[in-house]
Structure formats: structure tokens, C-alpha cells
Amino acid sequence: MSTDFDAVIVGAGFGGMYMLHRLRQKGFTARVIEAGKGVGGTWYWNRYPGARCDVESVQYSYQFSAELEQEWEWTERYATQPEILRYANHVADRFDLRRDIQFETRITAATFDEAANVWRVKTDKGDTVVARFVITAMGCLSSPNTPRIEGLADFKGPTYHTGNWPHEGVDFTGKTVGVIGTGSSAIQSIPIMAQQAKHLTVFQRTANYTVPAHNKPLDPAYVAKVKAHYPEMRKRAKTKPAGIDFVINMASAIETPEAERRRLFEERWAYGGLGFMASFSDLLLNDESNKIAADFVRSKIHEVVKDPKTAEILTPKNIIGCKRLCVDTGYWETFNRPNVTLVDISDEPIERITASGLRAKGQDYAFDCLVLATGFDAMTGALLKVDIRGRGGVALKDKWREGPKSYLGLTVVGFPNLFTITGPGSPSVLTNMLPSIEQHVDFIADCLEALRAKGVNVIEPVDEAQEAWVGQVGGFANITLRSTCSSWYVGANIPGKPRVFMPYIGGLPAYIAACETVVKNDYEGFALA
Ligand code: N01
């Protein structure tokens, strides 16, 4: 059976772009199929006001090319979405990637042909592409979650989803705006929208923890220092569970005297960013330690927010770091503005959307525009939108009915020659995505090269290896407090989605070690045919 390409890569975000580059380097042919008009994935779609990455820009970047590292200039501590998108475009041009990317095309189905050992990939343009391998690089947070609230179609004004924002931007000047949701996307966009809008009404189901970003322009002397020592920084980052080079204080919060504890929290708070959760090593392992950190953040809310009732509604009651910690610029301060109203809907869901706004707790709220900052069907959503069928015509969505199962987060029993970059069961969303993506891509590219050298056509994980991996993913999840709340990590934000803690929480170093062992033992856990 002749094939069109060695591999079809789905998605031209950071995963898909680097996958294409690596496969080309190794002499494989590949076609990237991308729904958007341009590269960038997450950063192509998420154009809401205030969107920026909350991993520092010098770390949220590729490391496979020293030249790229040296020539690219990040301008802010946390890069904005437009800057990250410019970077993605620069990479596409620099490595001449576009000629193998088919834009504005969605994969609708992928079926493994067992007789020919090839994948037949169908697109919404009506064509079928045949390839030996399918490599998905569809992102973990790329399938927007539109909440099932009655009457959504009745709203007369425009409705925007933060995860699929109009490319021309939205000007809220003089408008009244209703926002549903208070996750990362909302926490970044609310302060900006509030500056523009005549009035902003925020509907909050769950209060969220956020730490200040203290974003600032990058000091050229700091950048020069980073550039002079990039390899060391990247190496250090790979020894950290989140793949981010920040210092983890190995002490326990409960065993540290109160004054010292306060000092350390204040220090991290003043520095800003996600490193706050590394103030002590047991914040996600021990209820008491977690409560100490949570109380510290709660006290900060009351220091900032002037109206005590609003401050109380904004105060999270759950475990800090269980839902994804947010990083903000002026979020709580925004609720001191006279043009911002917070509505607590924690005890009663929104009744319905109406033509002029929405009805909640027996009261009608009117606004011109509705913003859904309601997140994503995370980790499995994008994959399961495609009709992926493996051996015996079995659909991935049936295989994963009880929750996703994978080997290394990269492969699935019954789906030969399918690789899922940052799939469920990989560290992905719990880590700095860029180094995780590069690790996956290198693993896959090396694997394809090894198969070619051995004359092997088909690779597929075996049941025992997959079960053992799923056991490890679940085992690690149960050790931490992170699996204990209703977060998107466990699929709780999507009605009917099985409750399974999806990412691997053992940390990037343990994950890399596991992958290296698999390779060293000649692709242990896989059947090669
Ligand atoms: O989505 P979310 P997000 N009625 O799921 C609420 C990454 N990210 O787009 O918590 C009322 O966190 C929901 O309420 P609840 C990051 O990993 C990164 O903000 O389910 N409310 C919640 O408040 C992040 O974690 C960056 O009770 C409803 C909100 O909508 C992930 O993306 C920036 C509702 C959804 O919050 C997702 O973040 C942005 C309903 N029916 C995002 N349905 C950076 O790097 C949902 N909600 C900076």
C-alpha cells in the first residue's frame, strides 16, 4: 500500500511545528493539518484581552535551537499572546515549516487499516490522506467548553468565548458586559474589560486563588545573562517537577515557625508568579500546610478589596493549587471599581440566558455583550471530537468511555502507530508545556527512526504496560491534594465526563526517566511488528 506521507501531524501549535521539523530532519515525510489560518495553536485562538502566558517568557520557549534562543528577543517577563504568536510565526518562517502545513482544514476521522498497516485520515475538505503514523498535537486546552445553560441562543447581543476570540478584537467601550467564569482566562481579561466597559457584571460559581504576576519589561542585562547561560537554565528546569527553573523550598510549612513562614510567603508574593506554590514542599501534600498557604492568600484579598462582602465572595474556600493557580495583574483591585459588580452564583446555577442578559437567583441582569470565560473540555476534548478508530474499528471515544487510558500519555492499546503529544497520562498541563512538548517530540522522532532501522512497521503498547502506567498515573494522583476537587484536571467541568485525574503528576524528571528506561529496554511495553 503506498502512502502519501510517513506521518500526518494534527495541529500546528508548538507541538505540531516542532514535530514536523524533527521528522524532516530525520528524513521522514509529513503533512501537518491545521484548522486555523495560521500557526500557534492555543496562541492562535486565545486572543482575549489580557491573554499572556504565566510561565516566564525566557522559559516558555523552544530550546532545540541555540540560534533561535539567541536571536529571539522577549520583551516582557510574561509574554503577551500577540508576542507569543509572533514567536510561533517566526519559528514557522525560520524553519520553513509552512510548505508542509495545510491550513484551514480539520481532521474529521482517522481509521487504522489493519490489512495495510496505514492510517486513513479524512478532512472536512473531503480528502483522505494516507499515512503510516498519526501524531496528534491538538493541545490540552483547545476544545472550548460552551456551558449548557438554557436560552444561550436567545441572547440578542454578541457572545464571545475567551478560547475562541474574534481575531479583529472586541471594543467594549460604552458597553455593558456580563462575564461567566472566574478561571485563568477570566482573571486575565476582567481587569482589561473593566477598563473599557461602561459596566461589567461578573458571575462567579467558584472563587479562585490568584497570585500577582508583577509583570514588567525585561531588563536587557537580565536577558543577556539568561542567553549566556541558557543550557544550564534548561538543564536545571528539567530537574524540577514542573519543568520550570524556580527554587523549591524543601521545608514543610507546618514544621516552619510562623514568623519565618510569613516571611517566606511574603517574599514569594513580592516576587510573583506560580513559584508561590513552591514556598514549601508540602503545600499539595498536607491539608494543614495547604490551609496555611490558603489563609495567607485569603488575607491578601481582604487587604485589597474594600467592600468586605465582595471580598468574602472572592475568597476561595477550597484547597489552594487544587484547581490551577491563576496569575493576575490587578484582578482583585478591579472589584473596587464602581463599574464592576460581582454576583455569587455558587449556591444556585444560572437559571437561563435571556434575550437581554441572564436570570440568576430570581433576578434579571441586563447587558449588551456576554463573555463566556468557561474554559475547555480539557485533555481529551479535542481528540474525541475526531472519529479515531483503531483495531477492529473500535472508536477511541468508546475505549475511553470510563476515562482515558494510555501508555506514557503518548500511545493507546488498540491504536497502532498513533502518538498523542501531551495526551492524557502525560505531565503536560502540570508542567511548562514547551519542554514537555519537546521531550515528547524527541521521543516520537527517535522511535520512528528506531523502527525504520529495525524494519518494523507497527508499534503498539501492550495491555500490561498500559495498565501499569494507568496505575502509576492514578497512584501519584491519589498522593496529592490536587485530585480532590472539582477541577478540569478530573473532567468535573464537563457534565457527564468520567471523573479521572488525567495528567501524570509524578513530575517531569520522573516522566523523562520512565521514557528513557522504555527506550533503553528496546521499547519496553510496546509490541513491534
Ligand atoms: O477555564 P477554567 P479558563 N456556570 O476551566 C466557570 C489555562 N490557561 O479558560 O470553577 C457558571 O479554569 C467555572 O466555574 P467552576 C490554565 O491551565 C492558562 O479560565 O467550574 N460558571 C470557572 O470559573 C487554565 O487552568 C493561561 O465552578 C461556569 C470558569 O468558568 C486553563 O487554561 C491563561 C459554568 C472556567 O475556568 C483553563 O482556564 C488562560 C457554568 N455553567 C488559561 N461553566 C495562562 O497561561 C464553567 N464555569 C495565563
Side-chain angles (χ1 to χ4, degrees):
M1 171 82 208
S2 72
T3 55
D4 300 322
F5 303 98
D6 290 318
V8 162
I9 301 165
V10 191
F14 285 121
M17 286 200 293
Y18 181 46
M19 192 74 246
L20 172 62
H21 178 63
R22 288 292 281 146
L23 289 185
R24 273 188 191 166
Q25 277 182 328
K26 288 185 185 288
F28 291 104
T29 57
R31 161 67 53 90
V32 181
I33 299 186
E34 164 59 51
K37 281 187 185 161
V39 299
T42 287
W43 302 104
Y44 176 86
W45 300 105
N46 283 259
R47 298 173 187 236
Y48 60 82
R52 61 174 80 235
C53 184
D54 53 18
V55 173
E56 296 192 21
S57 46
V58 294
Q59 303 209 45
Y60 190 82
S61 50
Y62 284 124
Q63 55 192 284
F64 68 86
S65 160
E67 294 78 18
L68 174 65
E69 272 182 342
Q70 292 301 321
E71 76 199 10
W72 183 260
E73 294 292 341
W74 294 108
T75 64
E76 291 181 68
R77 179 177 175 190
Y78 299 100
T80 59
Q81 173 272 332
E83 187 166 41
I84 302 173
L85 192 58
R86 276 200 298 281
Y87 174 70
N89 277 292
H90 170 74
V91 172
D93 293 335
R94 194 189 193 288
F95 297 97
D96 187 22
L97 300 178
R98 289 178 213 277
R99 65 184 156 89
D100 287 325
I101 305 176
Q102 184 176 335
F103 291 105
E104 293 185 81
T105 308
R106 273 182 194 279
I107 300 277
T108 54
T111 307
F112 188 67
D113 175 338
E114 286 183 73
N117 285 331
V118 294
W119 281 93
R120 293 175 195 284
V121 179
K122 282 198 176 140
T123 77
D124 63 355
K125 296 285 178 288
D127 47 6
T128 299
V129 185
V130 181
R132 285 182 54 218
F133 298 94
V134 168
I135 305 170
T136 63
M138 296 161 88
C140 297
L141 296 155
S142 50
S143 177
N145 167 37
T146 300
R148 294 173 208 172
I149 305 173
E150 211 189 311
L152 203 54
D154 299 345
F155 184 61
K156 291 261 169 25
T159 301
Y160 307 105
H161 194 294
T162 46
N164 190 5
W165 201 259
H167 286 200
E168 63 280 13
V170 180
D171 182 6
F172 290 112
T173 308
K175 305 269 189 225
T176 53
V177 183
V179 183
I180 301 177
T182 49
S184 295
S185 304
I187 281 177
Q188 287 189 325
S189 55
I190 282 170
I192 315 273
M193 293 191 290
Q195 284 165 24
Q196 281 180 6
K198 186 163 142 203
H199 196 91
L200 194 75
T201 308
V202 178
F203 298 90
Q204 176 191 277
R205 187 164 70 181
T206 310
N208 238 320
Y209 293 94
T210 175
V211 292
H214 297 313
N215 184 43
K216 55 183 178 191
L218 281 175
D219 171 10
Y222 167 76
V223 175
K225 202 168 141 202
V226 169
K227 286 191 173 180
H229 298 281
Y230 248 134
E232 297 98 292
M233 189 188 87
R234 304 292 201 183
K235 205 167 155 194
R236 274 195 311 275
K238 281 192 186 147
T239 66
K240 306 288 163 69
I244 306 175
D245 181 30
F246 51 54
V247 178
I248 302 170
N249 175 18
M250 293 314 291
S252 150
I254 33 175
E255 287 165 13
T256 303
E258 198 190 331
E260 174 63 0
R261 222 160 45 200
R262 182 98 204 165
R263 190 189 68 74
L264 285 168
F265 279 138
E266 289 288 2
E267 197 177 281
R268 298 262 173 170
W269 193 260
Y271 184 74
L274 294 171
F276 179 80
M277 286 308 286
S279 303
F280 296 95
S281 62
D282 57 350
L283 298 186
L284 281 167
L285 297 174
N286 177 306
D287 280 316
E288 232 182 299
S289 299
N290 190 281
K291 185 173 178 312
I292 292 167
D295 283 344
F296 175 85
V297 180
R298 289 172 186 143
S299 72
K300 291 287 181 192
I301 301 173
H302 286 265
E303 280 172 27
V304 174
V305 180
K306 291 193 183 118
D307 171 36
K309 204 170 146 226
T310 304
E312 196 43 41
I313 298 171
L314 285 169
T315 302
K317 312 292 181 286
N318 50 5
I319 287 165
I320 183 167
C322 193
K323 289 193 179 210
R324 165 72 150 59
L325 188 66
C326 304
V327 178
D328 76 283
T329 299
Y331 178 65
W332 293 323
E333 289 83 346
T334 299
F335 292 90
N336 291 332
R337 295 177 66 101
N339 69 332
V340 176
T341 308
L342 179 66
V343 180
D344 176 13
I345 51 162
S346 58
D347 49 353
E348 249 181 72
I350 292 166
E351 276 169 53
R352 60 170 298 125
I353 309 287
T354 62
S356 57
L358 65 77
R359 188 168 177 77
K361 298 165 93 167
Q363 199 177 324
D364 283 311
Y365 297 87
F367 36 78
D368 303 321
C369 319
L370 173 61
V371 174
L372 301 174
T374 45
F376 302 90
D377 182 354
M379 303 208 72
T380 55
L383 275 167
L384 296 184
K385 269 188 188 165
V386 180
D387 185 14
I388 300 176
R389 290 182 184 262
R391 287 197 191 282
V394 173
L396 188 62
K397 70 171 181 299
D398 290 329
K399 194 94 175 182
W400 283 1
R401 205 163 282 283
E402 310 290 317
K405 284 185 170 189
S406 74
Y407 182 42
L408 302 173
L410 279 171
T411 56
V412 184
V413 170
F415 295 79
N417 292 0
L418 171 73
F419 292 93
T420 53
I421 296 174
T422 64
S426 78
S428 58
V429 289
L430 299 177
T431 62
N432 182 0
M433 287 300 260
L434 266 286
S436 282
I437 281 170
E438 285 185 287
Q439 186 275 346
H440 283 317
V441 168
D442 290 340
F443 178 93
I444 296 166
D446 291 347
C447 175
L448 263 55
E449 190 176 40
L451 299 182
R452 181 172 60 191
K454 287 171 193 288
V456 165
N457 285 327
V458 179
I459 182 165
E460 182 184 349
V462 299
D463 240 332
E464 305 79 68
Q466 179 165 289
E467 284 307 311
W469 186 254
V470 170
Q472 253 196 69
V473 173
F476 279 131
N478 290 334
I479 297 169
T480 85
L481 301 173
R482 226 164 180 166
S483 58
T484 59
C485 64
S486 301
S487 66
W488 57 257
Y489 293 124
V490 297
N493 62 330
I494 304 296
K497 191 166 172 171
R499 286 238 180 172
V500 175
F501 190 81
M502 293 179 284
Y504 170 87
I505 199 171
L508 191 60
Y511 180 79
I512 292 173
C515 290
E516 283 173 354
T517 305
V518 166
V519 175
K520 199 171 87 208
N521 295 337
D522 201 14
Y523 292 93
E524 186 177 12
F526 287 102
L528 310 180

